[in-house]
């Protein structure tokens, strides 16, 4: 089905507010999926309208749970629906939608990546081991891109969405800083000189035709076309093609498997370990909240309880 006009107007509003293209795309996907579900609802909600009964939204969250959508994704969908309701002044009528009242479980050792496994993974990602001849040809192009992505997650605790959303103008090679923008705030992180060299190696080795243009909204991390052995370029947008969230997830899965570490780690393990390390280094709550873009100190309680249990 086509995107309802009420959603199109809301997306235009987000664009006018300066939201990133990747952020607007996520809103578009989640809201379009909601209206597709609504269109098939037995009650036959009138198209181009928002339901005026909260039960429909609650039913939708039940539907998503039955599809085994993760808690994180459920919260994102709820956030996007709340944004739409707020735009149409319906928040007072419904209150804030909550995807789940489930309390977060306690953290365990399996929620983190160990330092030895981290070192093995980072060493493996730039190594040619266990690669076929064809994979070796591709590896020459993407090794330091993948290495850079993993470093940002492991050493700086960025989420996949944050990594994917980075633009070339967000990294300042002369000042050794990285600006991370989200829908709620921006934060400035200092990157080490050693890591900067890795990021710059990836950037400088991209052929000039496909390389992100300095000081622009061109994506920092771009997709690679394995069949053509070139980086993707979107000629309609006159810009390199941004790597996708799915692309990064698949890359992590492949690199973890290739490294040989036994733990089945994902991006959340990298971020969890990075947050835990900051707490162990005795940084203040305010510093950690800012560094990781957390909503409040409540997000730190699980980590502190984990440390107390050790």
């Amino acid at each position: 089905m086509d995107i309802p006009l009420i959603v199109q107007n809301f997306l235009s509003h987000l664009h006018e507010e300066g939201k990133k293209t990747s952020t607007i795309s996520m809103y578009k996907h989640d809201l379009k999926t909601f209206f597709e579900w609504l269109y098939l609802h037995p009650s036959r909600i009138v198209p181009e309208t928002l339901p005026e009964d909260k039960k429909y939204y609650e039913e939708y969250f039940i539907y998503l749970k039955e599809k085994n959508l993760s808690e994180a994704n459920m919260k994102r969908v709820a956030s996007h629906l709340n944004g739409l309701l707020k735009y149409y002044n319906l928040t007072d009528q419904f209150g804030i939608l909550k995807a789940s009242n489930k309390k977060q479980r306690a953290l365990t050792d399996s929620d983190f990546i160990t330092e030895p496994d981290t070192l093995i993974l980072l060493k493996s990602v730039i190594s040619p081991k266990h690669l076929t001849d064809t994979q070796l040809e591709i590896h020459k192009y993407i090794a330091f891109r993948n290495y850079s992505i993993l470093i940002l997650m492991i050493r700086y605790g960025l989420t996949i969405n944050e990594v994917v959303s980075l633009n070339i103008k967000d990294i300042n090679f002369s000042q050794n800083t990285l600006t991370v923008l989200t829908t709620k705030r921006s934060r400035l992180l200092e990157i080490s000189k050693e890591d900067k060299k890795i990021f710059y190696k990836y950037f400088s080795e991209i052929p000039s035709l496909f390389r992100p243009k300095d000081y622009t909204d061109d994506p920092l991390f771009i997709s690679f076309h394995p069949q053509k052995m070139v980086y993707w370029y979107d000629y309609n947008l006159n810009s390199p093609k941004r790597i996708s969230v799915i692309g990064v997830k698949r890359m992590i899965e492949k690199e973890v498997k290739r490294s040989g570490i036994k733990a089945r780690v994902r991006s959340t393990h990298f971020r969890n370990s990075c947050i835990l390390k900051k707490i162990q280094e005795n940084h203040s709550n305010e510093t950690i909240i800012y560094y990781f873009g957390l909503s409040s100190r409540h997000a730190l309680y699980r980590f502190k309880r984990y440390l107390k249990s050790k």
Side-chain angles (χ1 to χ4, degrees):
M1 64 177 290
D2 295 331
I3 299 174
L5 182 60
I6 55 175
V7 174
Q8 292 181 40
N9 291 337
F10 175 58
L11 296 177
S12 296
H13 165 71
L14 294 178
H15 179 74
E16 291 169 0
E17 281 197 329
K19 301 296 186 187
K20 286 192 173 185
T21 302
S22 56
T23 299
I24 295 174
S25 294
M26 290 300 295
Y27 271 93
K28 179 179 178 181
H29 172 270
D30 288 342
L31 296 177
K32 183 174 184 287
T33 303
F34 170 68
F35 276 90
E36 286 173 346
W37 172 84
L38 204 59
Y39 179 76
L40 299 174
H41 195 278
S43 297
R44 298 293 180 184
I45 303 296
V46 179
E48 295 293 348
T49 60
L50 277 165
E52 296 184 359
D53 191 326
K54 193 173 182 178
K55 72 174 184 179
Y56 293 107
Y57 303 94
E58 293 171 343
E59 284 181 25
Y60 183 59
F61 290 134
I62 292 173
Y63 163 76
L64 294 179
K65 285 180 184 177
E66 291 173 347
K67 291 188 67 177
N68 294 319
L69 205 67
S70 70
E71 286 291 315
N73 286 334
M74 292 274 285
K75 289 179 180 178
R76 188 197 69 234
V77 172
S79 175
H80 291 172
L81 283 171
N82 281 321
L84 182 67
L85 293 174
K86 182 179 180 181
Y87 178 71
Y88 286 104
N89 299 314
L90 292 173
T91 303
D92 290 341
Q93 180 175 337
F94 296 135
I96 302 297
L97 299 178
K98 293 184 179 180
S100 172
N101 292 319
K102 179 181 176 182
K103 291 184 178 180
Q104 289 183 306
R105 63 171 178 78
L107 292 167
T108 66
D109 291 348
S110 63
D111 291 304
F112 304 92
I113 181 172
T114 65
E115 188 64 23
D117 279 353
T118 296
L119 296 174
I120 291 171
L121 177 59
L122 290 177
K123 183 178 179 180
S124 171
V125 74
I126 52 175
S127 163
K129 70 176 183 179
H130 305 315
L131 294 175
T132 65
D133 290 342
T134 301
Q135 290 171 334
L136 279 171
E137 286 297 309
I138 299 171
H139 186 258
K140 291 190 300 185
Y141 294 97
I142 65 172
F144 275 84
R145 182 201 66 179
N146 295 350
Y147 192 30
S148 298
I149 289 173
L150 287 176
I151 283 174
L152 286 173
M153 292 183 172
I154 291 171
R155 295 182 182 162
Y156 300 90
L158 268 66
T159 66
I160 285 185
N161 283 327
E162 288 172 345
V163 167
V164 167
S165 298
L166 287 173
N167 295 328
I168 189 62
K169 70 178 183 183
D170 296 329
I171 187 166
N172 189 320
F173 289 110
S174 62
Q175 298 295 322
N176 299 340
T177 59
L178 181 74
T179 301
V180 182
L181 295 170
T182 65
T183 55
K184 295 181 179 179
R185 61 177 68 86
S186 68
R187 59 193 197 273
L188 188 68
L189 306 183
E190 183 177 343
I191 56 180
S192 72
K193 292 181 179 179
E194 292 73 21
D195 291 338
K196 181 190 72 170
K197 291 177 183 177
I198 293 168
F199 303 151
Y200 191 75
K201 178 176 175 61
Y202 150 67
F203 171 74
S204 60
E205 290 184 353
I206 301 171
S208 58
L209 179 63
F210 306 100
R211 189 181 303 155
K213 296 181 284 296
D214 288 335
Y215 313 113
T216 68
D217 287 326
D218 282 359
L220 175 58
F221 295 112
I222 56 181
S223 295
F224 187 79
H225 196 310
Q227 285 75 40
K228 296 183 179 180
M229 293 289 185
V230 294
Y231 280 101
W232 281 90
Y233 195 88
D234 190 328
Y235 289 97
N236 292 324
L237 296 176
N238 192 29
S239 168
K241 184 177 180 181
R242 191 180 300 274
I243 194 171
S244 68
V245 170
I246 296 299
V248 174
K249 286 183 177 180
R250 287 175 178 168
M251 180 274 288
I252 293 172
E253 289 173 2
K254 289 178 182 178
E255 293 299 343
V256 166
K257 183 177 181 180
R258 187 166 74 93
S259 72
I261 60 177
K262 294 182 180 180
R264 297 179 60 185
V265 297
R266 300 182 298 278
S267 61
T268 52
H269 292 78
F270 304 148
R271 183 171 169 86
N272 285 348
S273 299
C274 198
I275 293 173
L276 190 68
K277 185 176 181 181
K278 288 288 184 186
I279 294 173
Q280 290 173 316
E281 291 172 350
N282 293 318
H283 292 280
S284 68
N285 288 340
E286 291 71 23
T287 298
I288 298 173
I289 288 168
Y290 170 81
Y291 192 92
F292 295 101
L294 303 175
S295 56
S296 71
R297 66 177 60 199
H298 294 287
L300 300 177
Y301 291 164
R302 294 172 76 213
F303 295 90
K304 294 188 175 184
R305 284 196 294 267
Y306 168 78
L307 286 173
K308 285 183 178 179
S309 71
K310 303 305 289 179

